[in-house]
Amino acid sequence: MDFDQILAKCGDFNRYQFMILALFGFINIIVSMHYFTQTVISFVPDHWCYHDKLVNMTYKEIGEIYAQFENPSCTRLDDINGHNVTVSSKACEKWIYNYDFGYRSMNTELNWVCDSAYKARIGQSLFFIGSVVGTLFYGLLSDKIGRVPALILSNFCGFAGDFSTIFTKSVATFTLCRFISGLAADTNFYLMYIIVLEYIRPSMRTLGLNMAVGLFYCLGLVFTPWLAVLVGHWQIYLACTSLPILLVVLYYFVVQESAQWLVTRNDIDGAIVRLKRVAKFNGCRVSQADFDEFRRHCQMTHEMLGGDDKKQATLLDMFRTPRMRKNTLILFFKSMVITLCYDAVSRNVEGMGISPFIMFSLSALAVLPSSVLLVLLQDRIGRKGMASGSLLVGGLFTAAAGIAIAYQQHNHNAILLACLTIAARFGVAISYESGSQYATELIPTCVRGQGVAAVHVAGFAASFLAPYILWLGTFFKAAPSIILGVLFFAGSFVCLLLPETLNRSLPTTIEEGEVFGKGERMFDFPCLHNKHDDEESESELEKYKRKHSLIDAKQMQMESCSNGKRKQSLIDADHEEQALKDANH
């Protein structure tokens, strides 16, 4: 009896699964706020150099006076006489801000604008560097001490970084706090993603995971800018978004450690304890004989794979065998394409003439429809078809938005650009969500934490190329959109080389990962197969597991025979002893 079978008896889509999906929804809300904190606290409204004669003027009048200069935000005036002004050679030291909805950001309070604008960008760079370090560290840690402790530690790190940012006044302390905050980026999300995926029925993973992401992540994104408007100040906003992160500590008492991970660590007793808790929470009765059979299966599998003498699997083991190496490299490339294009699309729409609060919320609305579309199509088309198709569609939307921005940079049509931006975000969101689930399912349980971490790190590393790709637009306006389109289409193609995971038992060991999907062709999609073909087909992994099940059964039979022989020998010995006693009498 393998893990999927024992989990079905304990309940694989019942009360416990609903609870962890709700807790995963809360994670999505706080993660959406945490990830975009840097963006919200750095919003810079229209601003102009301060002058005493501008104090009693309206923002419209001030804007008309400065409109004649190439860089109105950073031009200092020496004297103002109506519209006749004299420009000063000195740099600006004080500014007049036209606050959006009255919100005072960190950049406006610390005057990190004009020549000091780089200070906030340094903090953003350190945040991404921290995310690379943290993703690798917590990914490795999750495979050492468990998913739940690593999840709690990463979220606490995010709280410490965001809350300490409130008290920063200098570039040095600000960048340090943003680095600490960045250590939590992504791991504070995907570790809970892994836990939910491993405890939920395979046929319900798409519905449960993507609806939780779509609904709660979208809710968090839409709510985030208006929370800043509501409180009116960046420090209060940081306090409101960081303090709820502490509630994740309570997950230790309600979220069960990954039973599959415990099995890979040969802690079968620990896995059974967690499964019994799940069964009790779900109100399911599971016999001790079922757990004993699951224990024997795990023990036999462990012995077949080398027993205690075999060292624990590491990230490097994913590159030792040819098929695992190919799949891993494709997942790396796909993550790099999605993250790079997402970052480039976001950067390529700056300065559209729309309030950042409104544009932020409008683009966030694309997340929920993308999740709904995934729920409707992914279990019909399959993981491979959805990943490839979403990258193809995302490439078309991204190219359209890039070309429109490139050829309208002097006369922006705000409505057109907003629509194309939302469409581009829609395509990228589909690619990101489908890609996250696909990678988590393909990577074996024994290295899932560090494997998923490495995939995400590859994406973060590639995102540093986005500014340079956009810089090429200074030579040829359509260059960025062409490059991004080629990357999207290349990612769409290589996804066809990956195996399908829809309604399949997921690999738990490196050996199972090597045979997973063996024999599948490039254009094998579940939607093109009829039921009869599916019933007759048997994947290489299923054959591998069935072979081990037969070995288990044979071993049990041998043990039973051995026990029977020992029992018969004892009976015969008792008879002989009794006969000797009778003879003596």
Side-chain angles (χ1 to χ4, degrees):
M1 181 178 292
D2 62 17
F3 180 81
D4 288 339
Q5 292 170 328
I6 191 66
L7 181 62
K9 291 180 177 290
C10 297
D12 53 10
F13 199 67
N14 209 315
R15 290 196 293 263
Y16 179 75
Q17 283 71 28
F18 297 151
M19 182 193 70
I20 60 175
L21 281 171
L23 295 175
F24 180 53
F26 176 73
I27 287 286
N28 275 273
I29 292 176
I30 62 174
V31 164
S32 64
M33 293 181 177
H34 169 77
Y35 189 80
F36 289 101
T37 289
Q38 178 73 32
T39 303
V40 175
I41 66 174
S42 302
F43 280 159
V44 178
D46 293 334
H47 56 285
W48 308 272
C49 275
Y50 176 84
H51 195 281
D52 292 337
K53 293 185 178 181
L54 299 175
V55 173
N56 295 322
M57 291 186 182
T58 63
Y59 293 122
K60 183 178 180 181
E61 292 172 337
I62 296 173
E64 290 175 351
I65 292 174
Y66 278 97
Q68 56 188 301
F69 302 105
E70 184 178 354
N71 189 11
S73 298
C74 305
T75 301
R76 183 170 180 172
L77 301 179
D78 189 46
D79 188 33
I80 301 175
N81 186 12
H83 285 281
N84 297 321
V85 297
T86 304
V87 179
S88 173
S89 59
K90 297 180 180 179
C92 290
E93 297 177 353
K94 189 177 180 181
W95 286 264
I96 298 172
Y97 295 100
N98 182 13
Y99 296 106
D100 267 329
F101 298 99
Y103 171 69
R104 296 175 180 267
S105 68
M106 178 195 68
N107 286 38
T108 60
E109 185 169 289
L110 300 179
N111 287 323
W112 285 0
V113 294
C114 295
D115 292 340
S116 297
Y118 73 93
K119 296 178 180 179
R121 296 193 184 103
I122 292 176
Q124 183 67 19
S125 299
L126 266 292
F127 180 89
F128 282 113
I129 293 174
S131 68
V132 171
V133 175
T135 302
L136 281 175
F137 173 73
Y138 286 115
L140 292 169
L141 191 66
S142 71
D143 283 336
K144 293 291 183 182
I145 67 173
R147 318 293 196 215
V148 177
L151 172 70
I152 294 171
L153 289 173
S154 66
N155 275 277
F156 184 80
C157 199
F159 159 76
D162 283 354
F163 194 77
S164 59
T165 303
I166 296 174
F167 309 100
T168 59
K169 298 295 182 182
S170 66
V171 179
T173 56
F174 175 70
T175 52
L176 175 62
C177 292
R178 299 320 298 160
F179 176 81
I180 295 172
S181 178
L183 291 173
D186 219 32
T187 51
N188 55 359
F189 165 81
Y190 80 76
L191 288 177
M192 187 64 184
Y193 188 98
I194 291 174
I195 292 171
V196 176
L197 180 140
E198 292 179 348
Y199 272 113
I200 201 170
R201 184 188 307 164
S203 61
M204 300 304 295
R205 284 173 185 153
T206 297
L207 174 63
L209 290 168
N210 289 295
M211 285 309 298
V213 172
L215 182 61
F216 292 100
Y217 196 77
C218 178
L219 180 64
L221 287 179
V222 173
F223 178 69
T224 292
W226 303 111
L227 174 63
V229 171
L230 179 65
V231 298
H233 196 276
W234 67 278
Q235 289 176 313
I236 303 176
Y237 167 77
L238 277 175
C240 293
T241 56
S242 59
L243 288 173
I245 300 177
L246 292 176
L247 294 175
V248 178
V249 175
L250 300 177
Y251 282 32
Y252 182 83
F253 303 101
V254 293
V255 177
Q256 300 303 316
E257 183 55 80
S258 168
Q260 287 196 49
W261 172 78
L262 290 169
V263 170
T264 64
R265 311 294 292 185
N266 199 31
D267 186 4
I268 303 172
D269 291 333
I272 291 176
V273 168
R274 271 65 176 191
L275 288 169
K276 286 182 176 180
R277 291 174 183 172
V278 172
K280 183 178 180 180
F281 193 92
N282 287 334
C284 299
R285 291 187 176 182
V286 184
S287 66
Q288 186 60 41
D290 289 329
F291 286 117
D292 291 339
E293 186 178 347
F294 172 67
R295 184 195 304 276
R296 284 191 290 269
H297 169 78
C298 295
Q299 289 172 342
M300 285 301 303
T301 303
H302 179 68
E303 291 174 6
M304 288 291 296
L305 297 176
D308 294 328
D309 296 332
K310 185 177 180 179
K311 65 178 182 178
Q312 295 293 336
T314 64
L315 180 65
L316 293 178
D317 292 322
M318 296 174 64
F319 296 91
R320 298 193 190 282
T321 54
R323 296 192 72 257
M324 274 295 298
R325 180 166 57 246
K326 181 197 74 172
N327 292 343
T328 303
L329 291 175
I330 291 174
L331 289 175
F332 278 18
F333 179 74
K334 182 166 67 69
S335 177
M336 293 168 69
V337 166
I338 294 173
T339 309
L340 172 60
C341 292
Y342 184 88
D343 190 71
V345 167
S346 301
R347 291 173 182 269
N348 215 19
V349 296
E350 293 179 355
M352 294 195 306
I354 301 175
S355 168
F357 295 97
I358 296 175
M359 194 63 235
F360 193 95
S361 295
L362 286 177
S363 61
L365 291 174
V367 175
L368 181 57
S370 67
S371 296
V372 173
L373 189 65
L374 275 175
V375 170
L376 294 176
L377 296 181
Q378 186 157 258
D379 283 347
R380 291 182 173 87
I381 299 175
R383 312 292 193 255
K384 178 167 65 173
M386 200 67 195
S388 179
S390 61
L391 283 168
L392 180 63
V393 173
L396 296 174
F397 282 146
T398 303
I403 293 172
I405 291 172
Y407 285 96
Q408 290 187 354
Q409 53 183 295
H410 297 300
N411 186 23
H412 286 168
N413 185 328
I415 296 177
L416 174 62
L417 291 182
C419 292
L420 287 174
T421 300
I422 295 171
R425 179 67 65 87
F426 177 76
V428 174
I430 294 176
S431 303
Y432 189 84
E433 289 184 45
S434 63
S436 296
Q437 182 174 346
Y438 204 7
T440 307
E441 291 179 345
L442 271 178
I443 297 174
T445 305
C446 60
V447 290
R448 187 165 289 158
Q450 52 192 303
V452 174
V455 169
H456 285 250
V457 165
F460 281 128
S463 65
F464 289 112
L465 297 175
Y468 301 101
I469 292 177
L470 297 179
W471 175 70
L472 295 175
T474 58
F475 304 99
F476 177 54
K477 293 179 180 179
S481 59
I482 292 174
I483 294 173
L484 295 176
V486 169
L487 288 173
F488 259 121
F489 299 144
S492 176
F493 171 76
V494 297
C495 281
L496 297 174
L497 304 177
L498 292 171
E500 181 56 63
T501 61
L502 177 62
N503 294 330
R504 297 284 192 268
S505 295
L506 302 182
T508 58
T509 64
I510 296 295
E511 290 77 10
E512 291 180 1
E514 176 64 16
V515 300
F516 185 80
K518 191 174 182 180
E520 288 186 20
R521 293 168 295 183
M522 181 182 293
F523 295 102
D524 277 347
F525 302 115
C527 57
L528 301 180
H529 295 165
N530 56 44
K531 277 189 174 182
H532 181 69
D533 292 337
D534 290 337
E535 289 173 357
E536 288 187 347
S537 65
E538 184 179 26
S539 69
E540 290 295 326
L541 179 58
E542 288 165 347
K543 292 178 182 177
Y544 180 88
K545 288 188 173 183
R546 183 165 58 83
K547 179 182 177 182
H548 280 196
S549 297
L550 290 175
I551 294 172
D552 291 352
K554 185 176 180 181
Q555 180 69 19
M556 290 168 61
Q557 185 178 8
M558 291 173 63
E559 290 178 356
S560 177
C561 290
S562 299
N563 292 335
K565 288 179 179 179
R566 285 196 297 269
K567 184 177 180 181
Q568 186 62 44
S569 298
L570 290 172
I571 293 172
D572 293 342
D574 289 340
H575 286 170
E576 290 178 4
E577 185 178 356
Q578 185 64 36
L580 288 172
K581 288 181 179 179
D582 293 341
N584 291 333
H585 284 300

